[in-house]
Amino acid sequence: MAQAGLKTVIFLSFVLALSFLLVILSCALWSNWLPLLTALLFALAPLPNFICSRCAGADDFSTDYSSGPVDFGHFMTSCFLVSGVALPFTLAHAGVIHSLAGWMSAIGGAVGYGTMITYSHFFAIQLEDY
């Protein structure tokens, strides 16, 4: 497991702040707050994995085995991620938001989600330690 320090926390908070800045600017520059829905989708994306990973039984025979609820959690997370990227482009294609706002919103949301995944990788709590 990688050791995370103060520099990692500072870097991840800086990247997350840039992500928020992109999403907020995509809304504020064109006075249309619909791209903010992208941030909501990316914020909800880790929840199905978190909830469904608790359903994995301790009686699994190997680490390669995956249960139905865990697979469903992965599927729902992928649905949130694809929707988070596709929604701003769909709104831009329909003319509801500016195309640059769609790009900024999609990139900002993806960077924010990547930051959350990176944080959970570096600061994972090992349940075996407790």
Side-chain angles (χ1 to χ4, degrees):
M1 179 55 74
Q3 292 292 330
L6 185 61
K7 290 181 183 179
T8 306
V9 172
I10 292 171
F11 176 73
L12 288 175
S13 62
F14 176 73
V15 172
L16 189 63
L18 285 178
S19 166
F20 288 153
L21 179 68
L22 275 174
V23 173
I24 296 299
L25 280 178
S26 72
C27 298
L29 290 177
W30 289 278
S31 300
N32 189 348
W33 294 96
L34 284 175
L36 198 59
L37 293 174
T38 302
L40 178 67
L41 287 172
F42 278 111
L44 293 177
L47 287 179
N49 275 342
F50 177 73
I51 292 169
C52 293
S53 68
R54 303 293 179 233
C55 298
D59 58 345
D60 292 343
F61 294 112
S62 71
T63 57
D64 296 333
Y65 175 75
S66 179
S67 67
V70 173
D71 288 340
F72 180 71
H74 293 311
F75 175 74
M76 289 305 297
T77 296
S78 65
C79 287
F80 277 123
L81 291 176
V82 170
S83 297
V85 172
L87 180 66
F89 295 129
T90 305
L91 291 174
H93 180 72
V96 177
I97 64 173
H98 194 272
S99 63
L100 189 57
W103 278 101
M104 289 173 65
S105 179
I107 291 171
V111 168
Y113 181 75
T115 304
M116 288 188 283
I117 295 300
T118 306
Y119 180 85
S120 67
H121 170 73
F122 280 115
F123 298 101
I125 297 174
Q126 299 295 326
L127 296 177
E128 295 84 24
D129 295 341
Y130 293 103

